[in-house]
Amino acid sequence: MSAIYKNIKPKTRLIVTVLLLLACFISLASQTMMLTALPVIQKAMHVSLNAAQWLTAGYTLLIGVITPLSSNLYEKFRNRTVFLGIITTFVLGTLLGCLAQNFLTLLLARLVQALAGGLLMSFQMTTMVSIYPPQKRGTILGLSGLVVAFGPAIGPTLSGFIMTTLGWRYLFYLVLPLMVSILILGYIFFPNFKEPQDIKIDYLSVFISLLGSSLALGSLTVFQNNLAVATTMLISGLVILYLFVRRQLKLEQPMLKVTIFKVRSFRLMTFVGMLAFVALLGTEAMIPIYTQNVWGVSSMVSGLILLPGALCNALAAAIVGPLYDKHGPKYLIISGAILMLIASIPLVTISKDTSIWVLTIFYSFRMIGNAMVFSPAMSEAFKALQLREISHATALNNTLRQTSGAVANTVVVVLAGIPASFTVGTRLSMWVIVLAVVLMLGIFLQYLRKPA
């Protein structure tokens, strides 16, 4: 892997970069497109909001569950084979969504999409780091971070336009030709620039990882209806995940090299990135639901509320990358976290009288702050790692980040539904997000302290 960037041609590198970032952007935008559509699908499919939110939480959850496999797939198979297999899987999931006639089929379509999306993110990051020289690693991870943050940020806005003008099925109809085009272009142009390694996939690790993650995270939506069952699921899932980690420590060729977590910069900055992602997805999940259910606005209006924030996030991320390369993460992340806290004021006090403009402006500030935290945190997490560790590190980083996003989506929706007033419940959910940001800032301040 260490010689890949020396042997790959600049034109080939550009083709690979464009195809990977475009595919990853579409996948990540699809991840959050359902947020704006949930109230509409809830009524169309005659399901509860708690059930409907699994179209987003389940998607994010499966991404987190399946991502650990990506490191093994990257090493065991030719990169061209992996890429074409991932895109084909996403196309099949999207096609199933186009044909779905009931909620369970629709959920299955989303899960198949997520299966591909989880593998794609880590494959994209690992490949990008491999084909560019080490001195460009910060810039490349910053570019990847821009896509990872902007894709989910713009998804609800795109969904709002599509929902209002065409209907929710076009969330699949419009994505399908785009991914088919990427599949065709990939088949024609995507090269094979690495040879497969003799890696044995430990299928027992795969099974217990899937089982433990599904039980632990699935329990979150059960707590509201059955405390005993949810507690049993949570404890069982955590025990199984503990056994999974123990097994990885004993294997010569682990499914996921969890020992990377001993690297201080990777460990602490991964936590910072996780909590930034919690703030991003948790807020994005609640604003469309609240504005449509309480304010009675259309899906297009709820999407427009999020649009300036998504654009500000992309612009800020583009500026933050070079600033990180010059000055490091300290002032960027601290300033970003403070801005996120200030921008939370209208969210924790939201009511029917809150102005749409106030919500839009403060949400935009929140997204600027998120960009100032997220990209530097991702780049900083990988700075002390060897190139041979990158595939496992990206898998572990993406797994934890997506899992935290699934937890955030589920928790905020469940909490919002507990009080009799949905407004009170939304405020409660936003206070949880504020606590996540405070914890994020605390972890980063701890990171700045020199280890004893």
Side-chain angles (χ1 to χ4, degrees):
M1 184 184 296
S2 59
I4 290 176
Y5 70 88
K6 296 179 181 178
N7 300 325
I8 193 169
K9 296 179 181 178
K11 182 179 179 181
T12 302
R13 183 185 290 135
L14 178 62
I15 291 172
V16 171
T17 300
V18 171
L19 287 175
L20 284 175
L21 290 181
L22 183 58
C24 202
F25 173 79
I26 294 172
S27 168
L28 289 165
S30 296
Q31 179 178 343
T32 54
M33 276 185 179
M34 281 291 168
L35 291 173
T36 315
L38 287 184
V40 175
I41 292 177
Q42 175 193 356
K43 296 175 182 177
M45 294 290 185
H46 306 290
V47 295
S48 67
L49 181 59
N50 197 30
Q53 64 90 27
W54 269 99
L55 293 174
T56 55
Y59 190 105
T60 310
L61 166 61
L62 189 57
I63 285 180
V65 169
I66 203 67
T67 299
L69 270 176
S70 60
S71 59
N72 283 170
L73 294 178
Y74 184 85
E75 295 171 348
K76 186 174 180 63
F77 300 103
R78 295 177 182 272
N79 56 276
R80 172 182 165 83
T81 303
V82 175
F83 178 73
L84 295 178
I86 288 172
I87 302 301
T88 299
T89 302
F90 197 96
V91 167
L92 292 175
T94 306
L95 180 61
L96 184 60
C98 293
L99 303 174
Q101 297 298 317
N102 55 63
F103 180 76
L104 289 179
T105 305
L106 184 61
L107 178 59
L108 178 61
R110 291 285 289 169
L111 295 179
V112 174
Q113 284 184 324
L115 176 65
L119 299 175
L120 178 61
M121 278 194 300
S122 291
F123 178 79
Q124 175 260 131
M125 291 176 65
T126 303
T127 301
M128 295 273 283
V129 171
S130 301
I131 64 177
Y132 284 90
Q135 60 267 29
K136 292 188 176 182
R137 186 179 297 181
T139 301
I140 292 306
L141 287 173
L143 184 60
S144 178
L146 168 61
V147 172
V148 170
F150 184 59
I154 197 66
T157 301
L158 293 175
S159 174
F161 284 110
I162 294 170
M163 291 281 296
T164 302
T165 55
L166 298 170
W168 68 263
R169 289 191 180 277
Y170 281 84
L171 299 178
F172 295 96
Y173 290 156
L174 296 180
V175 168
L176 183 60
L178 293 176
M179 293 305 280
V180 169
S181 298
I182 291 175
L183 179 61
I184 294 172
L185 291 173
Y187 183 80
I188 297 172
F189 296 111
F190 202 93
N192 185 68
F193 46 78
K194 61 173 283 294
E195 292 302 315
Q197 302 176 37
D198 185 20
I199 299 294
K200 293 182 179 180
I201 297 178
D202 183 48
Y203 292 102
L204 179 57
S205 292
V206 174
F207 174 74
I208 60 178
S209 171
L210 292 172
L211 180 61
S213 300
S214 300
L215 284 172
L217 295 172
S219 68
L220 296 174
T221 55
V222 183
F223 270 106
Q224 193 174 11
N225 300 318
N226 194 317
L227 180 60
V229 172
T231 303
T232 302
M233 289 175 62
L234 178 60
I235 294 174
S236 300
L238 292 176
V239 169
I240 293 172
L241 288 175
Y242 171 75
L243 296 175
F244 169 76
V245 173
R246 286 285 301 272
R247 182 169 179 82
Q248 303 316 295
L249 295 173
K250 295 178 181 179
L251 292 173
E252 290 186 10
Q253 294 181 349
M255 171 183 162
L256 195 61
K257 194 179 292 183
V258 294
T259 53
I260 295 174
F261 228 65
K262 293 180 180 179
V263 179
R264 184 175 183 270
S265 57
F266 178 78
R267 180 177 68 253
L268 294 180
M269 297 312 294
T270 293
F271 282 138
V272 170
M274 285 168 58
L275 291 166
F277 204 61
V278 163
L280 175 72
L281 289 194
T283 306
E284 277 189 346
M286 284 311 305
I287 288 180
I289 294 173
Y290 181 84
T291 53
Q292 290 182 58
N293 286 348
V294 178
W295 289 359
V297 303
S298 67
S299 56
M300 175 175 280
V301 172
S302 67
L304 286 173
I305 291 173
L306 303 180
L307 177 59
L311 297 176
C312 287
N313 180 270
L315 180 61
I319 297 172
V320 163
L323 289 176
Y324 168 81
D325 286 336
K326 290 182 179 180
H327 306 292
K330 180 177 179 180
Y331 296 109
L332 285 170
I333 292 181
I334 291 176
S335 300
I338 293 173
L339 183 58
M340 290 172 71
L341 290 173
I342 294 173
S344 297
I345 294 174
L347 296 174
V348 298
T349 60
I350 196 167
S351 69
K352 291 182 178 180
D353 298 324
T354 301
S355 166
I356 286 182
W357 288 108
V358 168
L359 183 61
T360 303
I361 291 170
F362 275 79
Y363 176 74
S364 297
F365 285 135
R366 165 71 83 87
M367 294 298 284
I368 293 173
N370 200 285
M372 294 171 69
V373 173
F374 189 78
S375 293
M378 181 179 293
S379 298
E380 193 74 5
F382 288 86
K383 75 171 190 176
L385 299 178
Q386 301 296 318
L387 194 59
R388 65 178 181 273
E389 299 173 319
I390 292 298
S391 64
H392 287 271
T394 54
L396 188 54
N397 183 279
N398 285 330
T399 295
L400 293 172
R401 186 179 68 248
Q402 290 296 327
T403 299
S404 66
V407 171
N409 266 1
T410 304
V411 168
V412 295
V413 172
V414 170
L415 283 179
I418 292 176
S421 168
F422 195 74
T423 296
V424 173
T426 300
R427 291 176 183 172
L428 177 62
S429 295
M430 291 301 98
W431 273 114
V432 171
I433 298 298
V434 168
L435 290 176
V437 176
V438 171
L439 180 59
M440 177 190 76
L441 180 58
I443 292 174
F444 181 66
L445 293 176
Q446 178 65 29
Y447 171 75
L448 293 178
R449 296 179 181 179
K450 292 183 179 180

